[in-house]
Amino acid sequence: MNPSLQDLLSLARFTVQSPREGARKVIGAQVPVSARWAAFALMAVLSSVLAHVSFGVMPAEMKAQMGAAMASPFRTALLQAALMLVAANAIVWIGRWRGGVGRFDDVLILMVWLQFILLILQVVQVVVQMVLPQLADVVGFASIAIFLWLLSNFVAEVHKFKSVGLTFLGVILSMLAMGFVLAIVMVPFMGAGVQ
């Protein structure tokens, strides 16, 4: 079965409304592992392209602040892929540590699906930035809220956790811990770049 773009958009809307059931549908589609990895790479590339399009319509002062980070679309795509891969592994291992049963292949396709939905929201944000720039921040905050809502539900579903609320708390604590560790790891490199 090769779903059309319309099918994917309909499933994306359904997933936002009923995240756990949407996650079950995505996992239940039994997408081949090779196709999951191909979709993973595609999402990283598309995320990079949209990030640079979004960067192009930003105000000049924001471009100046983010210029170094957006120097290369290829580097952006690699960074996006690395972050998605780290997140997928973290979801598997932290979830299992807390008694979950999630498999990496299922987490991988859910990360791809989450990224697809975020790309839709990013397109909306780019359009709003061009048409009604004063509302772009509102769309950005809404996208963050939807991301956390979906991620918590996806983690709860893949690991068969009953409480989405407790899963959300675990997601937030895990993200803070990983951010702290990443900051410690990056400090020497940032120091070298300043000199």
Side-chain angles (χ1 to χ4, degrees), residues 119-186:
L119 283 175
I120 296 170
L121 294 173
Q122 196 173 353
V123 169
V124 172
Q125 189 171 9
V126 169
V127 172
V128 170
Q129 180 70 45
M130 292 187 294
V131 178
L132 293 168
Q134 62 271 27
L135 293 180
D137 287 343
V138 175
V139 176
F141 288 126
S143 297
I144 293 171
I146 291 171
F147 162 73
L148 292 173
W149 164 248
L150 292 176
L151 180 61
S152 300
N153 277 274
F154 285 6
V155 171
E157 181 59 32
V158 78
H159 282 298
K160 305 305 178 191
F161 295 146
K162 291 182 178 179
S163 173
V164 175
L166 288 176
T167 303
F168 171 76
L169 181 61
V171 165
I172 295 299
L173 291 175
S174 298
M175 289 174 73
L176 289 173
M178 290 173 65
F180 180 73
V181 171
L182 183 61
I184 291 176
V185 170
M186 291 300 293

Side-chain angles (χ1 to χ4, degrees), residues 6-129:
Q6 187 60 45
D7 293 333
L8 293 174
L9 292 175
S10 295
L11 182 55
R13 184 173 63 249
F14 176 80
T15 302
V16 173
Q17 295 168 344
S18 304
R20 293 193 73 155
E21 193 169 344
R24 282 194 293 273
K25 285 180 178 290
V26 171
I27 293 171
Q30 297 294 320
V31 178
V33 174
S34 59
R36 297 179 193 212
W37 282 109
F40 175 89
L42 179 62
M43 288 301 103
V45 171
L46 290 179
S47 295
S48 173
V49 170
L50 266 180
H52 282 265
V53 170
S54 180
F55 179 71
V57 299
M58 284 181 179
E61 60 273 13
M62 292 184 69
K63 287 184 180 180
Q65 294 174 1
M66 298 178 61
M70 302 297 289
S72 165
F74 180 72
R75 186 168 64 185
T76 305
L78 286 179
L79 178 60
Q80 179 67 30
L83 289 173
M84 289 171 62
L85 197 56
V86 167
N89 279 284
I91 289 169
V92 171
W93 294 110
I94 295 174
R96 286 182 181 173
W97 173 56
R98 301 304 302 160
V101 296
R103 300 185 314 121
F104 179 80
D105 289 348
D106 292 336
V107 172
L108 180 65
I109 195 62
L110 287 179
M111 289 301 296
V112 169
W113 185 237
L114 177 59
Q115 191 59 41
F116 176 76
I117 295 173
L118 293 177
L119 283 175
I120 296 170
L121 294 173
Q122 196 173 353
V123 169
V124 172
Q125 189 171 9
V126 169
V127 172
V128 170
Q129 180 70 45

